[in-house]
Amino acid sequence: MGENGIYKYESNEFESGGFNWKMIIHGDGDGDGEDHISVYLAIIKPSSLHGVWEVNASFSFLIFDQIHDNYNVMKGMERRFRNIKTEWGLSKCISHETFKNPSNGYLVNDKSIFGVDVYVIKNHGIGECMSLLNDSNVYKHEWKITEFSELKNEVYSGEFTVEGYKWKLSLYPTGDSRQNGQSISVFLESVDAKGFDRHKSVGAKFSISVKNQISGDHHKNIGGANWYSAASYSWGWSSFMRCCELNDPKKGFLIEDCCILEAEVSVVGVVNCLT
């Protein structure tokens, strides 16, 4: 896919876990994916399945760095494909700016290479029980980061507990691999989810703010309910806030080389298997 007017591309079908799949790429974005490339994984309905059906799969989208000869994982997730929802993916998978930057190696000689790793989670007849928390409390955790300009790599906050589960924040001071130094990336990570079996997940609503230390006009991003599992234990924003805005001393977000993040987290439900 390059710059020759190919706005939507569908890969050939491929097999994984006994099912057929294909990738769908929207070069100019789809839905709210303006100025981004949108990437989706779609299941091809098996002729042997009739009526209501579902397939659980864990998958990761990849993009090939043709300069350094390696694949970069853009996002991993676990989703349930069914007859009423046959596609899952990312409307804002990678920005046009990052994709077209020659130093990243994603677009070389007007050619790029996308990929997807798919693992089908087998259903062994074990049911699921979902417990919803109607009156979940909102927990606030403040993270003060000093000597911000000295940070080079991803950093983590201290752990905090909400409804018996441990959490922490992660921050990329110049953005993850998709940002190329344009924005900071911030995520909420479930510490416990890495140890979950494949039948367990925890749902959480959260918002993350960078506090304005002058005016109190904080930069805040609000997320919906996300389900944390062993395959998807980190959720947040790759493009959380522009670096130029954060680093501008007149804005009030970085004072004396210190910035303050605040997370508001509530656990909304838990899914466990029935043995």
Side-chain angles (χ1 to χ4, degrees), residues 87-115:
E87 295 181 14
W88 285 102
L90 300 168
S91 62
K92 294 184 178 181
C93 188
I94 185 171
S95 69
H96 289 165
E97 182 179 6
T98 300
F99 176 70
K100 294 178 180 179
N101 190 318
S103 64
N104 290 330
Y106 300 143
L107 185 64
V108 176
N109 296 326
D110 205 32
K111 295 181 180 179
S112 63
I113 302 172
F114 288 81

Side-chain angles (χ1 to χ4, degrees), residues 77-242:
M77 62 189 76
E78 182 179 317
R79 293 292 185 269
R80 180 172 298 171
F81 295 80
R82 59 185 75 185
N83 54 331
I84 60 174
K85 180 66 175 178
T86 59
E87 295 181 14
W88 285 102
L90 300 168
S91 62
K92 294 184 178 181
C93 188
I94 185 171
S95 69
H96 289 165
E97 182 179 6
T98 300
F99 176 70
K100 294 178 180 179
N101 190 318
S103 64
N104 290 330
Y106 300 143
L107 185 64
V108 176
N109 296 326
D110 205 32
K111 295 181 180 179
S112 63
I113 302 172
F114 288 81
V116 61
D117 283 335
V118 183
Y119 172 73
V120 174
I121 303 171
K122 301 296 183 180
N123 186 346
H124 298 289
I126 299 176
E128 290 183 345
C129 176
M130 177 182 289
S131 301
L132 297 178
L133 304 179
N134 294 324
D135 299 317
S136 56
N137 296 319
V138 177
Y139 180 92
K140 293 184 178 182
H141 178 75
E142 187 173 278
W143 181 21
K144 186 176 183 180
I145 306 174
T146 58
E147 298 181 345
F148 188 89
S149 63
E150 300 298 320
L151 301 179
K152 304 300 181 184
N153 301 309
E154 182 182 16
V155 291
Y156 295 91
S157 73
E159 296 179 5
F160 55 96
T161 302
V162 183
E163 299 292 344
Y165 294 94
K166 294 180 180 179
W167 309 84
K168 63 182 178 181
L169 296 173
S170 63
L171 178 142
Y172 295 79
T174 55
D176 60 14
S177 60
R178 290 166 283 181
Q179 293 306 309
N180 194 37
Q182 299 300 309
S183 301
I184 65 170
S185 303
V186 183
F187 302 92
L188 174 68
E189 180 175 316
S190 169
V191 177
D192 303 296
K194 293 181 181 180
F196 288 171
D197 63 38
R198 65 175 181 269
H199 302 290
K200 182 170 183 177
S201 58
V202 173
K205 290 183 178 180
F206 65 93
S207 65
I208 300 176
S209 304
V210 176
K211 287 192 169 184
N212 189 309
Q213 301 173 58
I214 296 176
S215 68
D217 185 16
H218 308 321
H219 181 96
K220 185 175 184 177
N221 284 11
I222 301 174
N226 293 300
W227 289 90
Y228 289 79
S229 65
S232 301
Y233 55 83
S234 180
W235 291 92
W237 295 271
S238 173
S239 179
F240 182 84
M241 182 180 187
R242 300 283 291 180

Side-chain angles (χ1 to χ4, degrees), residues 30-97:
D30 178 62
D32 62 350
E34 185 179 359
D35 298 325
H36 285 71
I37 294 173
S38 304
V39 182
Y40 298 90
L41 174 67
I43 188 171
I44 309 302
K45 179 186 175 182
S47 58
S48 59
L49 297 181
H50 303 283
V52 179
W53 56 270
E54 62 183 40
V55 176
N56 295 315
S58 175
F59 55 98
S60 299
F61 292 115
L62 315 168
I63 187 168
F64 189 65
D65 179 347
Q66 301 174 61
I67 296 177
H68 302 98
D69 194 32
N70 68 278
Y71 277 98
N72 290 326
V73 177
M74 294 186 287
K75 184 68 177 179
M77 62 189 76
E78 182 179 317
R79 293 292 185 269
R80 180 172 298 171
F81 295 80
R82 59 185 75 185
N83 54 331
I84 60 174
K85 180 66 175 178
T86 59
E87 295 181 14
W88 285 102
L90 300 168
S91 62
K92 294 184 178 181
C93 188
I94 185 171
S95 69
H96 289 165
E97 182 179 6

